[in-house]
Amino acid sequence: AQTVTQSQPEMSVQEAETVTLSCTYDTSESDYYLFWYKQPPSRQMILVIRQEAYKQQNATENRFSVNFQKAAKSFSLKISDSQLGDAAMYFCAYRSKSDYKLSFGAGTTVTVRA
Amino acid sequence: DSGVTQTPKHLITATGQRVTLRCSPRSGDLSVYWYQQSLDQGLQFLIQYYNGEERAKGNILERFSAQQFPDLHSELNLSSLELGDSALYFCASSPRDSYGYTFGSGTRLTVV
């Protein structure tokens, strides 16, 4: 079974600064997908960014970027120029190519200080 | 609005009761997934349906069942409810060949 570990229960960042969230995963597969989801107080699960394991280039979506280290099984999320609206719980998730279910980490709560 | 509709948004019921949660996927999406989010277990995959057929099963209790209808909407039935079933239940949907999917806003179930 795949496991996803987020070692930081909480992170705090000053508005306009940068914060990096850590995620590691365990898998024996070579082809898979990784995701970061945001869950604001509204509880809606919002896809932030996704990465295909066979692509070496790190994914970027506006202020959000990832550092994907396949050999280390690490998938960190960087939020640049943090905004108050970025305050939320962030979940890292893994999906193998052959299996449609997502395995989630425990989440990291991000607080943005004005 | 994500396009995935879940009803009801909130549900309060007593132990031992049965409830039905409903999900309408995004237009054109054939796959529906159910997840449970609780404080102690985090986000757990329950079950997946694809075009009316069960595709994969996760940590779904025998007291729980689901189905997907010809119009592609899905229902999750929870019976003999226990206090520990209190959680946020999410539905998500995806197109046939997409590796990502879209979540609904969830149904908050409280068992008292």
Side-chain angles (χ1 to χ4, degrees):
Chain A
Q2 290 78 28
T3 57
V4 179
T5 302
Q6 293 179 249
S7 59
Q8 305 152 315
E10 298 179 359
M11 294 287 283
S12 181
V13 60
Q14 188 72 35
E15 197 174 7
E17 298 295 309
T18 295
V19 64
T20 299
L21 311 184
S22 301
C23 172
T24 58
Y25 56 93
D26 181 31
T27 184
S28 58
E29 303 192 18
S30 60
D31 203 3
Y32 48 86
Y33 308 108
L34 296 164
F35 307 84
W36 280 98
Y37 278 89
K38 169 185 177 181
Q39 187 177 40
S42 67
R43 295 297 186 180
Q44 176 77 46
M45 292 290 287
I46 301 166
L47 178 64
V48 174
I49 200 165
R50 57 188 176 188
Q51 175 85 39
E52 297 175 60
Y54 70 87
K55 290 186 177 179
Q56 293 186 344
Q57 186 173 6
N58 289 323
T60 299
E61 290 286 344
N62 300 313
R63 298 181 295 105
F64 298 86
S65 61
V66 297
N67 183 3
F68 173 47
Q69 300 290 327
K70 192 172 183 179
K73 296 180 183 176
S74 170
F75 184 61
S76 61
L77 175 71
K78 184 170 77 172
I79 307 174
S80 304
D81 185 25
S82 296
Q83 300 175 359
L84 295 178
D86 295 333
M89 176 86 88
Y90 287 80
F91 292 94
C92 180
Y94 166 100
R95 204 213 98 183
S96 75
K97 195 171 184 180
S98 58
D99 185 356
Y100 281 79
K101 75 171 188 182
L102 287 176
S103 297
F104 286 90
T108 297
T109 300
V110 172
T111 304
V112 181
R113 306 186 305 274
Chain B
D1 182 11
S2 68
V4 179
T5 304
Q6 288 189 249
T7 56
K9 291 192 182 304
H10 303 277
L11 199 49
I12 301 175
T13 190
T15 54
Q17 295 298 304
R18 172 189 170 94
V19 297
T20 297
L21 312 184
R22 182 188 169 101
C23 169
S24 294
R26 285 190 320 173
S27 178
D29 286 359
L30 299 178
S31 277
V32 169
Y33 312 80
W34 287 97
Y35 284 81
Q36 179 195 58
Q37 184 178 27
S38 61
L39 286 175
D40 55 346
Q41 297 290 328
L43 272 155
Q44 299 280 325
F45 168 73
L46 295 178
I47 197 164
Q48 178 205 356
Y49 278 83
Y50 178 80
N51 203 21
E53 294 188 3
E54 183 183 302
R55 172 69 68 87
K57 238 177 185 178
N59 301 319
I60 188 167
L61 300 171
E62 287 190 8
R63 300 183 286 109
F64 296 0
S65 64
Q67 54 184 328
Q68 186 179 26
F69 295 86
D71 67 352
L72 301 178
H73 91 271
S74 178
E75 293 180 357
L76 178 67
N77 301 296
L78 315 176
S79 61
S80 303
L81 285 167
E82 302 174 359
L83 295 178
D85 297 327
S86 296
L88 189 56
Y89 290 84
F90 282 107
C91 169
S93 73
S94 71
R96 177 178 178 176
D97 296 322
S98 170
Y99 64 86
Y101 41 80
T102 303
F103 283 83
S105 57
T107 293
R108 166 75 70 186
L109 173 66
T110 303
V111 182
V112 297

